Amino acid sequence: MQITRLKVIGYRSIKAIDLKLGALNVICGANGTGKSNLYRSLHLLASAANGQLAHMIAHEGGMDSALWAGKRSKLDPTTFSVAIELDDLSYRLECGRVPDDARAFAGVVTKPGERWFGNDPDVKIESVSTDYRGKQVSILKRKRSHVTARDMDGRAIEYPLTGGDCESVLSCLREPHRFPDLSVLRQEFLGWRFYHHFRTDLHSPLRRQQIPVFTPVLSHSGSDLASALASIIAAGGEDVLSKNLERAFPGADLEIEMERRSVSFKLQMPGLYRPFSARELSDGTLQYLCLLAALCTERPPNLMVLNEPETSIHPDLFEPLAELLVDASKRSQLIVTTHARPLALAIEKIKGTHHAVIELEKVDGATRVIGSEAMEYDASDLEDED
């Protein structure tokens, strides 16, 4: 499934934004314009599906940090909403603060006004719908702890919420065979891949020998890079890997050293008498090899999201990086955030691709798409239909 639309309201620097998405989406803008917040908004949905929503919000600083940080009136709701439209399903998650009278735990004596876990997200609304002959049919409708779901026979029944108020229904799905649409959506979210930062400092695990493990999917940290590169070759992807390596480093040759208890790699550059080990490679070269391992995977996901992949990479590599991204977008939907306008331009120059370049700016503290009219932020956007 492919995301065709992303709508985010009231989240961090995003007051209200509505994006139409294609196969390759490049979100660019200066530092501080809100690119990473769009990245995080999608990561929230994946976290909701795997039961880590509260932990991700806590990692960001709790609900105080997650909610719209700009000016608001007393009538504005203190919630945020992330909604997506896929090929045939729509999903929406709205979270706010824990009510003063909620989260009372048995046996816990609290002081007046004190709430345990009061900075957790409180799921106010969660909904799933599908388009049936031009009409939206509800599959899941949740208002706090009251949940109605449509089962495999098409009946709307009350669904017992087995998780807490800070958890998504998707993460608490106990009978997936009875709710196939919800199960498919959960698996879709769990299959998304996010790459935000690869450590390339001298003490990075990327630079060390690793225990060899067949690794068809590079970890989000890239710490299993040697195994991931070796796995691409073992799975028959050596030609694709070599082609993209040649684009970036003409004449270079990747050497995998596989032993029973260790695996490592070296890069032989033209004109040099010996190959360089991972410990000797520059930060930018190591970053690029991580991107090769992520994007040349023999097991492509439906969606891959990369946050500022050009980090540490010299502008001379933007053109081969653009070609790498375009090629990968033919197998996976890509959403790429970048502050490097030349990278976006390099992607635009490649003909025959279906891509969108979305430029962001900050207006009165709010993230906005350049050239678009500001969306209004009001309570009606964050209220479920009756």
Side-chain angles (χ1 to χ4, degrees):
M1 288 188 283
Q2 188 174 96
I3 301 176
T4 57
R5 186 182 182 188
L6 169 65
K7 188 174 183 180
V8 184
I9 299 174
Y11 179 64
R12 298 174 70 90
S13 70
I14 303 173
K15 191 174 184 180
I17 201 166
D18 192 352
L19 302 177
K20 292 183 178 180
L21 303 176
L24 173 55
N25 310 273
V26 182
I27 301 171
C28 63
N31 290 331
T33 52
K35 303 183 301 297
S36 294
N37 290 336
L38 283 172
Y39 172 91
R40 289 189 183 103
S41 70
L42 285 167
H43 211 320
L44 278 176
L45 300 188
S47 298
N50 67 19
Q52 294 296 306
L53 176 62
H55 287 275
M56 183 173 177
I57 294 293
H59 184 71
E60 294 182 352
M63 284 300 294
D64 290 340
S65 296
L67 294 170
W68 159 240
K71 184 179 180 181
R72 66 170 75 240
S73 71
K74 292 182 179 180
L75 298 178
D76 286 333
T78 54
T79 58
F80 70 78
S81 171
V82 181
I84 60 169
E85 293 179 8
L86 297 150
D87 294 337
D88 53 2
L89 290 172
S90 299
Y91 177 78
R92 178 182 165 210
L93 179 71
E94 181 184 334
C95 298
R97 298 181 187 277
V98 176
D100 291 337
D101 59 349
R103 304 282 170 91
F105 291 87
V108 176
V109 179
T110 61
K111 301 175 183 178
E114 183 181 57
R115 289 170 295 159
W116 281 43
F117 309 114
N119 210 21
D120 276 357
D122 191 73
V123 178
K124 307 294 185 183
I125 293 171
E126 189 173 11
S127 65
V128 180
S129 62
T130 187
D131 186 286
Y132 180 73
R133 296 180 179 179
K135 181 181 178 181
Q136 287 295 308
V137 176
S138 176
I139 294 175
L140 172 73
K141 183 177 287 188
R142 171 187 182 179
K143 288 189 175 181
R144 297 209 69 227
S145 58
H146 183 265
V147 182
T148 302
R150 197 172 297 275
D151 66 11
M152 61 184 299
D153 297 320
R155 297 175 301 177
I157 62 174
E158 287 196 16
Y159 184 91
L161 184 63
T162 56
D165 294 334
C166 63
E167 296 176 282
S168 162
V169 171
L170 297 181
S171 69
C172 307
L173 202 58
R174 295 292 181 266
E175 298 177 290
H177 62 283
R178 291 188 59 197
F179 304 94
D181 290 317
L182 298 183
S183 178
V184 166
L185 189 61
R186 179 174 185 267
Q187 292 305 315
E188 175 70 18
F189 289 174
L190 293 178
W192 291 353
R193 289 180 206 159
F194 297 85
Y195 294 105
H196 171 64
H197 174 67
F198 299 119
R199 269 189 61 193
T200 57
D201 60 85
L202 291 177
H203 302 290
S204 168
L206 278 69
R207 297 184 181 276
R208 304 172 192 160
Q209 285 188 339
Q210 300 160 19
I211 296 175
V213 178
F214 181 68
T215 307
V217 177
L218 181 73
S219 66
H220 67 90
S221 66
S223 59
D224 48 8
L225 176 60
S227 286
L229 290 170
S231 298
I232 291 173
I233 295 172
E238 184 173 8
D239 289 345
V240 173
L241 193 63
S242 297
K243 179 184 73 173
N244 285 286
L245 185 65
E246 177 68 20
R247 284 172 173 173
F249 308 105
D253 184 39
L254 180 68
E255 300 178 4
I256 301 293
E257 296 188 345
M258 179 77 72
E259 298 181 6
R260 186 168 179 270
R261 295 181 179 275
S262 68
V263 60
S264 60
F265 63 89
K266 292 182 179 180
L267 195 63
Q268 177 68 62
M269 304 297 285
L272 299 178
Y273 292 105
R274 65 173 181 83
F276 283 6
S277 70
R279 289 184 178 275
E280 300 172 287
L281 295 176
S282 69
D283 289 356
T285 300
L286 206 56
Q287 171 84 4
Y288 203 91
L289 289 174
C290 284
L291 293 172
L292 282 179
L295 293 164
C296 295
T297 173
E298 290 293 298
R299 197 173 292 175
N302 285 340
L303 174 69
M304 189 181 298
V305 191
L306 299 100
N307 193 26
E308 299 187 351
E310 76 283 359
T311 301
S312 300
I313 291 177
H314 192 275
D316 287 349
L317 291 180
F318 286 174
E319 186 172 332
L321 177 55
E323 293 175 331
L324 174 62
L325 291 168
V326 169
D327 285 349
S329 71
K330 298 172 184 176
R331 304 189 302 156
S332 302
Q333 183 180 25
L334 296 186
I335 298 176
V336 182
T337 71
T338 177
H339 62 257
R341 179 61 180 155
L343 175 59
L345 290 173
I347 292 173
E348 285 185 318
K349 289 180 181 178
I350 300 176
K351 296 181 180 179
T353 62
H354 300 284
H355 59 263
V357 175
I358 302 164
E359 293 194 64
L360 302 181
E361 62 180 348
K362 273 279 191 72
V363 179
D364 297 327
T367 297
R368 201 167 79 184
V369 177
I370 293 177
S372 68
E373 295 183 1
M375 291 176 58
E376 291 299 322
Y377 174 69
D378 57 53
S380 63
D381 286 320
L382 291 166
E383 289 179 354
D384 199 22
E385 296 180 0
D386 293 329

